[in-house]
């Protein structure tokens, strides 16, 4: 098959492209640096010629509400129009667990628009909603910490390793379209504060976790179980404790 990976130079995209190259399929890296721009439409027609599967891993440069909405609205419209014209047989999108449960957050409204556009397009699709990555724990500490303490909520948390995310994207890409939303999450579930505390302990950091019940994530008010699957999900293989030891 010929597979176009939009966002193929990003954190997830690099891993997906590398793994797919070992499957014997033809991989096209979709990025402005390779002449493929989903905001302008540049290069899409040529990239989609003879393509069987499109994987959309694109992301807004900023999580700010209007910026994200402008990005995903324009990108989805351009990509779906081109995908329909090319007769693509499978359109796969990476999204976020909880997208539909916190529409007061602008970034998630933008992601929901992206999901809905694909679902309503009539193109065979698979939408993968993922929980937060293990690797994101460092961002939580950087953003919510002051060098000595880190304020962390006790909201439910079930992160997944980036490696597992890549494996599931590749797996679902090579399978028939699900024509539905599937969710993936790590094998461990607990409170966000416990995950952060465990990571800092592993790193022998002197930072202290100040746990609270404010139900906030990156300063956003969220439902307590927003960041974990609400039903059935595909579990990752890599435990958080094993991942943090490898860092």
């Amino acid at each position: 098959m010929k597979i176009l990976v939009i966002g193929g130079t990003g954190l997830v995209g690099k891993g997906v492209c590398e793994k797919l190259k070992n499957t014997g399929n033809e991989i096209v890296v979709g990025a402005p640096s390779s002449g493929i721009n989903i905001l302008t439409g540049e290069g899409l027609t040529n990239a989609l010629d003879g393509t069987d599967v499109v994987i959309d891993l694109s992301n807004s440069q900023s999580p700010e509400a209007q910026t994200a909405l402008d990005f995903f609205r324009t990108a989805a419209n351009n990509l779906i129009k081109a995908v329909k014209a090319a007769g693509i047989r499978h359109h796969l999108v990476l999204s976020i667990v909880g997208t539909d449960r916190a529409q007061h957050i602008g970034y998630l409204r933008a992601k929901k628009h992206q999901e809905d556009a694909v679902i309503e397009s009539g193109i065979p699709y698979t939408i993968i909603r993922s929980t937060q990555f293990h690797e994101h724990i460092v961002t939580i500490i950087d953003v919510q910490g002051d060098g000595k303490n880190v304020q962390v909520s006790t909201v439910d948390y079930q992160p997944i390793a980036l490696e597992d995310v890549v494996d599931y994207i590749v797996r679902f890409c090579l399978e028939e379209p699900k024509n539905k939303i599937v969710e993936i999450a790590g094998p461990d579930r607990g409170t966000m504060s416990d995950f952060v505390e465990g990571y800092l302990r592993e790193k022998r950091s002197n930072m202290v976790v100040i746990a609270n019940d404010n139900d906030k994530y990156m300063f956003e008010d969220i439902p307590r179980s927003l960041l974990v699957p609400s039903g059935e999900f595909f579990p990752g293989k890599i435990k958080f404790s094993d991942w943090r030891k490898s860092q």
Side-chain angles (χ1 to χ4, degrees):
M1 295 191 298
K2 180 180 176 182
I3 302 169
L4 171 62
V5 183
I6 300 295
T9 58
L11 179 66
V12 180
K14 287 180 181 178
V16 169
C17 288
E18 182 177 343
K19 187 148 193 170
L20 279 173
K21 285 176 183 176
N22 296 326
T23 66
N25 294 291
E26 178 185 354
I27 310 305
V28 178
V29 178
S33 59
S34 60
I36 301 169
N37 192 319
I38 56 176
L39 289 180
T40 65
E42 176 189 1
L44 272 179
T45 300
N46 288 337
L48 289 168
D49 185 30
T51 294
D52 299 284
V53 180
V54 172
I55 301 175
D56 185 2
L57 307 175
S58 63
N59 199 8
S60 169
Q61 289 186 341
S62 168
E64 189 275 326
Q66 194 57 53
T67 301
L69 184 58
D70 289 344
F71 174 86
F72 284 114
R73 179 184 288 135
T74 302
N77 290 345
N78 287 341
L79 188 55
I80 287 170
K81 180 179 178 181
V83 164
K84 290 182 77 171
I88 303 302
R89 69 176 188 82
H90 191 180
H91 188 169
L92 185 147
V93 175
L94 179 63
S95 191
I96 305 167
V97 162
T99 291
D100 56 335
R101 291 181 272 142
Q103 286 293 287
H104 64 284
I105 299 175
Y107 183 78
L108 294 185
R109 285 201 306 275
K111 287 296 292 183
K112 185 67 162 52
H113 176 89
Q114 179 193 34
E115 291 182 356
D116 290 344
V118 172
I119 292 170
E120 296 166 5
S121 70
I123 303 165
Y125 72 92
T126 302
I127 293 174
I128 303 173
R129 285 183 179 167
S130 172
T131 55
Q132 309 301 306
F133 301 166
H134 286 171
E135 290 76 4
H136 192 63
I137 207 86
V138 178
T139 302
I140 294 174
I141 294 168
D142 288 344
V143 173
Q144 299 178 195
D146 60 10
K148 295 182 179 179
N149 301 318
V150 54
Q151 303 282 340
V152 188
S153 174
T154 57
V155 292
D156 296 326
Y157 203 55
Q158 194 171 347
I160 184 171
L162 174 62
E163 184 179 336
D164 282 330
V165 176
V166 168
D167 285 347
Y168 271 123
I169 291 171
V170 170
R171 169 183 162 178
F172 290 131
C173 157
L174 299 177
E175 293 179 354
E176 291 299 311
K178 302 293 186 187
N179 291 314
K180 65 179 182 179
I181 296 170
V182 297
E183 296 193 334
I184 60 176
D188 308 305
R189 179 167 173 167
T191 66
M192 184 186 291
S193 55
D194 281 348
F195 277 96
V196 174
E197 190 168 29
Y199 177 84
L200 290 173
R201 185 169 57 250
E202 185 72 45
K203 299 295 120 185
R204 295 178 178 165
S205 170
N206 291 324
M207 289 186 72
V208 176
V209 172
I210 308 298
N212 62 69
D213 296 324
N214 294 338
D215 292 357
K216 285 182 178 290
Y217 170 63
M218 306 294 281
F219 308 115
E220 294 276 7
D221 291 311
I222 64 170
R224 188 166 188 78
S225 294
L226 177 71
L227 305 177
V228 299
S230 57
E232 293 183 356
F233 66 94
F234 291 86
K237 296 178 180 178
I238 301 172
K239 295 179 67 64
F240 185 77
S241 57
D242 292 333
W243 172 85
R244 73 191 186 202
K245 289 175 184 176
S246 70
Q247 300 307 297

